[in-house]
Amino acid sequence: MMKCGVFDSGIGGLSVASELLKAGLFEEIIYFGDTARVPYGNKNESTIIRYSLEVLEFLKNFDIDFLVVACNSASSVAIEDLRKEAGFPVVGVIEAGVKALNAQKESKILLTGTKRTILSGKYQYMLKNAGFNNIIPIATPLFVPLVEEGILEGKIVDEVFELYFGAIDKNDIDYVILGCTHYPFLEKSFQKHFPNAKLIHSGQAIVELLKNEYCLKEKYDTKIKLFASDNPEELRSKAKGWLKL
Amino acid sequence: MMKCGVFDSGIGGLSVASELLKAGLFEEIIYFGDTARVPYGNKNESTIIRYSLEVLEFLKNFDIDFLVVACNSASSVAIEDLRKEAGFPVVGVIEAGVKALNAQKESKILLTGTKRTILSGKYQYMLKNAGFNNIIPIATPLFVPLVEEGILEGKIVDEVFELYFGAIDKNDIDYVILGCTHYPFLEKSFQKHFPNAKLIHSGQAIVELLKNEYCLKEKYDTKIKLFASDNPEELRSKAKGWLKL
């Protein structure tokens, strides 16, 4: 049985699970949200690594064949440690996001994410390694609570966009990397403010990476199991809406 | 030596520590911010109780004489368990806030706080027990990330006030309970939007309660020690600014 573990610090990774469900690459997805310790974004590197390895131990109990790290903070600091311990392929949203850019190398890329993701420099490092040099990294931490409150468009969102992006020429951006699993829910607002940009969505990027590099095929009617370290009922109720379970 | 432990889920409790420092009721304050597990507000009751008892064990090592629970979420669900285990007085911001209302019983009270604080109903229960019946409870979770981002006034804050308080008559409110340790930093915006209201600030309320009920006097040049379960340097840097250390 082809099983994939999906791990996020909270419920945001459901945006990645949603794309995996639609794609049908696996027979079963085991989702774990570390909701007792969310968010990872403001924690130390060593703490994030320790938490990530604990989640891996939990997911190993399900005999998973792949691990998708849907959490950008964990992707940026814990992916190497997870690979050493896993014994199966581990893919993270950051490398997937970078690989999804089939852009001209001179494209102007706006990179958004939590403070920890942006400050870690991991995304910027991987983008530069892939030949991209025209990168504007901006930490946009208020987007997470806005999404969690269900405020996805309107005046407040527009003001927050102005706060973060007021100083840049929005028409001139070719790609916007939605570098946090919560951000795809703000897709409409992003597209309105960046009319000429292609949005890079972690979930879609992960699906493309799994198809291209691991030759996985869209052939299953994927089931999903949901686990959380706290408030599993909230995770399930969000999943009901977002994943149409 | 008179020592007081102050405990919050994160850095917000510094607003309470700040008032205790100014008041000089203790020789030393031991502050613990559970920053590795912040925020408590979205966690289950049993999880919050477990975390709170762990923090108590840590603070007991310092031979404290009092414990101030500066975290509203812990105050609303863990105070009884803390009292059973402590062996010294434990005071919480919720009871302090309620006791700070020397209002006419028919006063109109706006109660603000995180979702967990408002949903717990603890504040409302204690207000009703104290004879207040004209209470408007409104959960205002976006204020926490705004304060953490240092956005304390201006367009975004005004829009968020409109979102939360657009439906009520702002001139008609007599008291606003700032039911989360982060909210005192938004004092100026609260006073602008509620021009006729007295703001109830947890830190000031705790100082009053300690003076009135435990006969503590303002006589020390209080020292403070700061601890955090993650990122202690961030706590110290915030404390430097906020507490003028």
Side-chain angles (χ1 to χ4, degrees):
Chain A
M1 186 162 171
M2 274 288 279
K3 285 187 183 180
C4 180
V6 177
F7 145 47
D8 184 32
S9 57
I11 58 175
L14 288 173
S15 71
V16 174
S18 165
E19 296 296 327
L20 284 167
L21 273 179
K22 274 192 266 174
L25 309 179
F26 299 99
E27 286 175 85
E28 194 168 65
I29 290 170
I30 317 292
Y31 184 95
F32 182 84
D34 195 3
T35 48
R37 307 190 286 197
V38 70
Y40 283 10
N42 55 3
K43 291 179 178 67
N44 258 331
E45 233 170 81
S46 57
T47 306
I48 297 173
I49 292 171
R50 182 161 57 85
Y51 288 178
S52 300
L53 292 173
E54 286 171 17
V55 173
L56 173 65
E57 283 313 304
F58 173 78
L59 287 170
K60 273 182 166 180
N61 294 322
F62 294 89
D63 294 321
I64 55 175
D65 305 287
F66 278 83
L67 176 63
V68 168
V69 182
C71 171
N72 277 273
S73 306
S75 264
S76 73
V77 301
I79 205 101
E80 297 307 328
D81 294 86
L82 287 166
R83 277 192 184 129
K84 265 182 229 153
E85 297 296 325
F88 42 75
V90 176
V91 295
V93 282
I94 294 188
E95 56 170 314
V98 172
K99 286 177 179 166
L101 294 168
N102 46 7
Q104 305 297 328
K105 299 301 178 190
E106 64 274 20
S107 297
K108 203 169 215 174
I109 299 164
L110 173 65
L111 170 65
T112 63
T114 63
K115 276 186 197 167
R116 172 69 55 185
T117 298
I118 299 299
L119 284 175
S120 80
K122 185 73 185 286
Y123 244 122
Q124 294 92 311
Y125 174 82
M126 291 185 72
L127 285 166
K128 279 184 184 157
N129 261 4
F132 299 103
N133 282 301
N134 209 342
I135 309 159
I136 307 172
I138 298 183
T140 52
L142 283 175
F143 287 159
V144 172
L146 285 173
V147 167
E148 298 210 327
E149 290 312 303
I151 302 167
L152 307 182
E153 49 190 321
K155 273 193 205 171
I156 296 177
V157 175
D158 289 341
E159 287 294 345
V160 175
F161 267 80
E162 193 50 33
L163 171 77
Y164 289 137
F165 309 123
I168 64 174
D169 181 354
K170 297 202 197 85
N171 291 309
D172 197 34
I173 301 291
D174 301 306
Y175 285 83
V176 178
I177 299 182
L178 307 177
C180 168
T181 48
H182 280 72
Y183 298 178
F185 298 107
L186 291 165
E187 197 171 358
K188 224 167 135 179
S189 291
F190 268 105
Q191 202 67 77
K192 174 178 136 190
H193 285 270
F194 297 95
N196 304 322
K198 182 174 185 320
L199 306 179
I200 302 295
H201 177 306
S202 300
Q204 289 161 4
I206 285 279
V207 168
E208 285 314 303
L209 187 151
L210 288 169
K211 283 160 67 179
N212 295 337
E213 298 193 7
Y214 297 93
C215 301
L216 300 183
K217 305 277 176 241
E218 306 195 345
K219 59 180 181 182
Y220 297 107
D221 180 17
T222 309
K223 305 273 175 288
I224 186 164
K225 282 201 182 112
L226 299 165
F227 297 93
S229 48
D230 191 44
N231 269 337
E233 60 285 359
E234 196 195 331
L235 176 70
R236 291 202 186 98
S237 105
K238 289 273 182 188
K240 237 180 204 165
W242 293 348
L243 310 185
K244 289 157 194 94
L245 295 179
Chain B
M1 185 161 173
M2 275 287 279
K3 284 187 184 181
C4 180
V6 177
F7 145 48
D8 184 32
S9 56
I11 58 175
L14 288 174
S15 71
V16 174
S18 166
E19 297 296 326
L20 285 167
L21 273 181
K22 274 191 267 175
L25 309 178
F26 299 98
E27 287 173 86
E28 192 169 65
I29 291 170
I30 317 290
Y31 184 95
F32 182 84
D34 196 3
T35 47
R37 306 188 287 198
V38 70
Y40 283 11
N42 55 4
K43 292 180 178 64
N44 257 331
E45 233 170 81
S46 57
T47 305
I48 296 173
I49 292 171
R50 182 159 58 85
Y51 288 179
S52 300
L53 292 173
E54 287 171 15
V55 173
L56 173 65
E57 283 312 305
F58 173 79
L59 287 170
K60 273 182 165 178
N61 294 322
F62 295 88
D63 293 322
I64 55 174
D65 305 288
F66 279 83
L67 176 64
V68 169
V69 182
C71 170
N72 276 274
S73 305
S75 263
S76 74
V77 302
I79 206 100
E80 297 309 327
D81 293 86
L82 285 168
R83 277 191 184 128
K84 263 181 233 154
E85 298 296 325
F88 42 75
V90 177
V91 296
V93 283
I94 293 187
E95 58 171 314
V98 172
K99 285 176 180 169
L101 293 168
N102 45 7
Q104 307 294 328
K105 299 301 181 193
E106 63 275 19
S107 296
K108 203 168 215 176
I109 299 164
L110 173 65
L111 169 65
T112 62
T114 63
K115 276 186 197 169
R116 172 69 56 185
T117 298
I118 300 298
L119 284 175
S120 80
K122 185 73 184 287
Y123 244 122
Q124 295 92 310
Y125 174 82
M126 292 185 72
L127 285 166
K128 280 185 184 156
N129 260 4
F132 300 102
N133 282 301
N134 210 342
I135 309 158
I136 308 172
I138 298 183
T140 52
L142 283 176
F143 288 161
V144 173
L146 285 174
V147 168
E148 299 212 324
E149 291 310 303
I151 302 168
L152 307 180
E153 48 190 322
K155 273 192 204 172
I156 295 177
V157 175
D158 289 341
E159 287 294 344
V160 174
F161 267 81
E162 193 51 34
L163 170 78
Y164 289 137
F165 309 122
I168 64 174
D169 182 354
K170 297 201 196 84
N171 291 310
D172 198 32
I173 300 293
D174 301 306
Y175 286 83
V176 178
I177 299 182
L178 307 178
C180 168
T181 48
H182 279 71
Y183 297 178
F185 298 106
L186 291 165
E187 199 170 358
K188 223 166 135 180
S189 291
F190 268 105
Q191 202 66 77
K192 174 178 134 189
H193 286 271
F194 297 96
N196 305 322
K198 183 176 184 319
L199 306 179
I200 302 294
H201 176 306
S202 299
Q204 290 160 5
I206 285 279
V207 168
E208 286 314 302
L209 186 151
L210 288 169
K211 283 158 69 177
N212 295 337
E213 298 194 8
Y214 297 93
C215 301
L216 301 183
K217 305 280 175 240
E218 307 194 346
K219 60 178 181 183
Y220 297 107
D221 178 17
T222 310
K223 305 273 175 287
I224 186 164
K225 282 201 182 112
L226 299 165
F227 297 92
S229 49
D230 191 43
N231 269 338
E233 61 286 359
E234 195 194 332
L235 177 69
R236 293 203 185 98
S237 105
K238 291 271 184 193
K240 234 177 206 171
W242 292 350
L243 310 184
K244 290 159 194 93
L245 295 181

